[in-house]
Amino acid sequence: MVFRKLPGVSASGMGLRLSQKFVFLLFLSGLVTLCFGALFFLPDSVRLKRIFLSKNENPAVTVGSDNELSKKVPGDPEHLRAGLKGGEGANVKLKVSRKPSVTHGARTVERSVGSRAQDERSPARAQEPAARDDYEAFKKCLLKPALGKNKGTPSDSETLQRREKVKEMMKFAWDNYKRYAWGQNELRPLTRNGHIGNMFGGLRGASIVDSLDTLYIMGLMEEYEEAKEWVQNNLNLISNGEASLFEVNIRYVGGLLSAYYLTGAEIFKQKVVELGEKLLPAFNTPTGIPRGVINLGSWSWGWASAGSSILAEFGTLHLEFLHLSQLSGNPLFTEKVMNIRKLLNKIEKPHGLYPNFLSPVSGNWVQHHVSIGGLGDSFYEYLIKSYLMSDKTDQEAKKMYYSAMEAIETNLVQKSPGGLTYVAEWRGGILDHKMGHLACFSGGMIGIGADDGPTEQRQHYLDLAAEITHTCHESYSRSATKLGPEAFRFDAGAEATATRLSDRYYILRPEVIESYMYMWRLTHDPKYRQWGWEAVEALEKHCRVDAGFSGIRDVYASTVSHDNMQQSFFLSETLKYLYLLFSDDDLLPLEDWVFNTEAHPLPVIRKTCLQEHGAKHDHGQTDLE
């Protein structure tokens, strides 16, 4: 006993002096505090929590709680691509890319974050679909064939020739990846070896998974079959490394979902549901706002980690998680992202704006920095796309998007002295007159949302989309290489040009070309195809090397210096958007498909149609009902 270890203390403890009693009580209280506090730094364990919590108590805040949100900034810069659309190149600050997360408004969730371990770790296995007709039901609910009448082949010879050039670029990039970096995440084309990095927590083959749908859409079937075989035999989801929740979701989950919906191959469905299960522990926080980093192994650190969550990371899960519920029959995926939306609707927003950083523990905004570029981008993208993917039934997502757009126009949209429209950043009420390459997706986003805005605003939104896309094109045309910098400014006499050395690089990013593709489909103005072809010529001249494609360090230098990295999103996004730009509109028609922020096409969920065609699971509910 403790008493026997104190000098001069009898076994009964009656001989304690006052000072000894004080020392003993101080020691005992410290020991109890230490042991109790250590509980929350142990790996997640529902058994441990049940020691202190009754079955009806949850350590997490329910959807209806008063707690607010906050965001986490992953410590490793490679995780910062959620704004982060990620660069692995030298001297590249990874940033948050555009990936907003919004959930289906047809359903409110009252489930708290602290779910049972069974729910968190193996939801899909517990609810395997009874029927195998999901894919057939989905196909019957498309308005048009996914690949069009003739695979989107354009009728005029010049456009066809340009499309074939983009296809050749894809094959060249793929062949070199296969030759020098097969199975690793990305190709280093100058040194002709592979790169793994630490964004994916030990997962491999990022370029393979990211390329599946691009290869299939382009008709590169031999290469597609190679990629499919690798996924079946070599994609190992057992990993103990720390991964970016955002990056794994948009690249791996998005890539596998898209491959399944395009091909119906069951291996993609099996892998994506298994991977989706591994992401659920990230939501074990007091507010339900997920941490930015997740360990994909058998353990999780619960909500002991500090820091903020990033708007573009926790806001860019909605599209993929709704489809995970669709395929697995498990509503937990949908509940998790609906909880995020519920909390965001409760929290106060300065001037109607969504700051970029939120605490997943306290639910408070951490900083009042607002941007539709890195750190914020895809949150807004996923709001309008959630509405579109719901077959325009998700009225909550629609309301959130147009309210955010009103606040952005009021506070951030600016006109330069030279007449260029741009979207500035907001830092606690002070405007920073800069626009990032990542923010150039917003031309396409505003464009696809124009038709569903208030009637009197529809043409205005389409005009705004065209103006922003024009500004982003100017950032390309004003450089020596005709490629755009990472960020460009509108102050000190500068317009649409980078004024800092650290902003001059280009890492094969897709956002400007993405807006060209959307604006072409919405307007059929031939300038968008011409601008896309200018980008192809610049990529060929400055980024193509002997063994692949590489980013460059300075777009204003006439003699380029390469960063030795062929990003996986170059295969998934940049080349795919270029191919679609030079294809007919019936190749992945926008009436049926919504692209996630990694350009992986996901089908519109038409619940009534799916019910009619029997896409039900064994728990008796129709998908996403």
Side-chain angles (χ1 to χ4, degrees), residues 32 49 55 84 113 173 221 231 254 275 383-384 406 413 417 424 470:
V32 171
K49 292 176 184 176
K55 291 183 180 178
L84 289 187
V113 177
M221 298 311 296
V231 169
L275 179 57
L383 286 175
I384 186 60
E406 182 179 355
V413 174
H470 171 71

Side-chain angles (χ1 to χ4, degrees), residues 536-590:
V536 169
E537 292 179 317
L539 287 166
E540 282 285 288
K541 182 176 180 180
H542 300 293
C543 298
R544 185 165 181 154
V545 294
D546 290 342
F549 287 87
S550 170
I552 58 177
R553 301 180 192 279
D554 187 349
V555 298
Y556 301 102
S558 55
T559 303
V560 300
S561 172
H562 295 99
D563 68 9
N564 194 28
M565 185 65 65
Q566 180 175 283
Q567 306 282 350
S568 81
F569 57 73
F570 178 66
L571 309 176
S572 173
E573 300 183 74
T574 309
L575 294 178
K576 183 186 291 137
Y577 284 133
L578 283 169
Y579 190 79
L580 292 172
L581 176 63
F582 299 121
S583 297
D584 284 350
D585 294 357
D586 65 351
L587 179 61
L588 297 177
L590 298 183

Side-chain angles (χ1 to χ4, degrees), residues 25 92 154 159 186 195 322 324 448 533 605:
L25 291 174
V92 172
T159 304
E186 287 161 319
H195 176 258
L322 259 64
L324 285 171
I448 62 173
W533 182 246
I605 298 173

